[in-house]
Amino acid sequence: MQNLIVFQGLRKAITYIYIFMVSFFMSLYGTNNPFQVGCTGIDSSVFIYVAKVIVDGGMPYRDTFDHKGPLIYLIDALGLLINEDIGIWIIELISIFVIFLFAYKIARLLDCNCFMSCFIVTIGLFVLSYYFEGGNFTEEYACVFITVSLYWFLDYFINGNIKRYRIILCGVSFAAVCLLRVNMIILWIVMCIGFLADNIHKHQGEVIPKIIYDFLIGAALVIVPISVWLLLNNAFDDFVYDYLKFNFMYSSDPERASTFNILESIKAFIISTPVMISLPFLLYFSLKKKKHTDLLCVMALLLSIIASCISGQRYGHYGIIFFPLIIYALSRTVFELGNFEISDTNVKVNSKIVAKYLLITVFLSLVFCFFIPFLFSFVRTVTDLFLIDKRVLSSQETKIASIIQTVTNKDDKITVVGNGNSLYLLSKRKSASKYSYQYPIANIDNKIWEEYLRDIENIPTKLIILLPNVNNIWPYNQIKEKARLKYDKIETIYGCEIYLLKKVD
């Protein structure tokens, strides 16, 4: 008995170590890893810049514009407080570990053995890397809450396990995702409807009010303190405009969110490799097995794809939130294939075994054929880390940031015309305008251009950097003309024009 306990403990430890190793390799795929300091992605650099504003005593929305929920900035601010260079990566590593840990738990919940559950986690590495696009997105952190909540919902539907702390934390997770990006809450909508229907069907309606109460308590634990923080710092009205009103404008823009673009975006995600492999199996199980968990997961996956595409855009990282449901589909498939039975009693036992393992081989071959390109991409990315120092030292952004630091002081304000917040981070300079970037947000709301032009006119702006991709932006010539009047053009590097404020005699 004691040997059995020791063996189980050792197996558990090895499993956790393996999951951590997979998580660590996945974290290297992100642009904030220790080997790639300074190579932050476009969206990530915006979030980190807002986080720096918070760390320096400012407020999101009030002092700098962005239209994501406040939780992404608070997460990055926490990372900066841990360590300015690798703190955000540490948080990402923890987040990825939790995602993979609960992916393993979901597989185990669906009766996959330990080895096959680790296999599912390994496939999950390629699925997540397919959608990752550098990491530190709202979808990445939302995926943590979605994966954990999916496990709790499944544990209820499969085993009947329901605990008060889980309900409260499910409310916390729901609110957290609402304060990241509100169109990522589909899982809770679908699963809560399934939960209510299940309790009504079992004539247990009397427990519903108490469960709703606990869920709302959990949601309030997140929403109330953040709302108070925004209110006390006079940023709540700006939050309502930036996060709610502006995002409504963004998702209803007739050019970006046209019916054609939305349908094309939905099609792109449905035919993406992970969904294309998992969705047919999930649909088959829903129709053949008639298990409500399969049906709920199909609905959650399809509705999540639609909700993600409502803006008409097809950025790959939107697909990160599909990861838990893809893991569920793959786990169900592995379990069903492992327990495949042939109903024809005339077939010999050996033939049954051959047919069973033939199906398993076909499935695994399909998976590996689709995911081998991701494997090579992942290996190439990790291998490139050994050359990253040379790449960073010769990168365009690093050279431009070096020029900025040379011609300005620490307290000087600068502005980057276009979308290049990484230049603020690399040069350790602050934006003269509330709008540290203007594209594509000013195309949604033209008032942003007016405010931006007013900012750089009234606020002392030591340096204007015109990115090469802004030539077709409406006020480009107006900004360039302003730069010529009050500024000297000191450098053109990689198509980027740098203007320094003229000295006053």
Side-chain angles (χ1 to χ4, degrees), residues 276-341:
M276 191 165 58
I277 289 177
S278 56
L279 185 58
F281 286 104
L282 207 51
L283 287 169
Y284 170 78
F285 295 141
S286 299
L287 297 172
K288 188 73 174 177
K289 301 292 182 178
K290 293 181 169 49
K291 292 182 68 172
H292 50 274
T293 49
D294 293 333
L295 179 60
L296 291 171
C297 286
V298 165
M299 292 173 60
L301 179 56
L302 290 175
L303 291 175
S304 293
I305 291 173
I306 293 171
S308 297
C309 299
I310 198 69
S311 65
Q313 305 305 297
R314 59 186 87 169
Y315 298 117
H317 58 266
Y318 287 179
I320 294 175
I321 65 168
F322 311 150
F323 174 83
L325 295 162
I326 291 170
I327 288 297
Y328 172 84
L330 294 175
S331 301
R332 283 283 285 122
T333 304
V334 167
F335 173 75
E336 290 295 337
L337 289 179
N339 292 275
F340 177 77
E341 296 290 345

Side-chain angles (χ1 to χ4, degrees), residues 46 49-50 53 59-66 234-235 237-239 241-242 413-415 421 424 430-438 441 448 451-456 459:
V46 173
Y49 180 79
V50 178
V53 170
M59 288 295 295
Y61 315 115
R62 185 195 71 189
D63 299 320
T64 186
F65 178 94
D66 193 42
N234 299 315
D237 289 343
D238 294 308
F239 157 74
Y241 175 79
D242 294 357
K413 300 288 184 69
I414 68 172
T415 186
N421 276 49
Y424 299 114
K430 292 184 179 179
S431 171
S433 171
K434 175 181 178 179
Y435 301 99
S436 59
Y437 69 102
Q438 311 82 40
I441 56 173
I448 290 176
E451 291 184 43
Y452 174 70
L453 292 170
R454 190 162 56 246
D455 281 349
I456 61 174
I459 299 172

Side-chain angles (χ1 to χ4, degrees), residues 362-394:
V362 169
F363 171 73
L364 294 181
S365 299
L366 179 67
V367 169
F368 279 115
C369 284
F370 275 105
F371 286 107
I372 278 175
F374 307 150
L375 174 61
F376 281 117
S377 173
F378 180 81
V379 171
R380 186 170 61 250
T381 299
V382 174
T383 304
D384 283 347
L385 293 175
F386 293 102
L387 305 174
I388 195 64
D389 288 340
K390 296 178 182 178
R391 196 163 75 227
V392 170
L393 289 174
S394 61

Side-chain angles (χ1 to χ4, degrees), residues 230-249:
L230 292 168
L231 279 166
L232 292 179
N233 289 280
N234 299 315
F236 191 80
D237 289 343
D238 294 308
F239 157 74
V240 170
Y241 175 79
D242 294 357
Y243 185 51
L244 301 178
K245 293 183 179 179
F246 181 86
N247 274 327
F248 177 78
M249 295 167 61

Side-chain angles (χ1 to χ4, degrees), residues 2-13:
Q2 187 176 1
N3 290 337
L4 178 62
I5 294 173
V6 171
F7 173 76
Q8 289 177 340
L10 182 62
R11 186 181 67 177
K12 190 174 183 179

Side-chain angles (χ1 to χ4, degrees), residues 20 45 238 332 440 449 462:
F20 179 80
S45 64
D238 294 308
R332 283 283 285 122
W449 281 126
K462 186 69 176 289

Side-chain angles (χ1 to χ4, degrees), residues 46 78 87 111 116 144 161 169 288 297 318 335 396 467 499:
V46 173
L78 175 61
D111 291 327
M116 292 310 298
V144 178
N161 288 337
L169 289 178
K288 188 73 174 177
C297 286
Y318 287 179
F335 173 75
Q396 299 178 10
L467 298 180
Y499 292 84

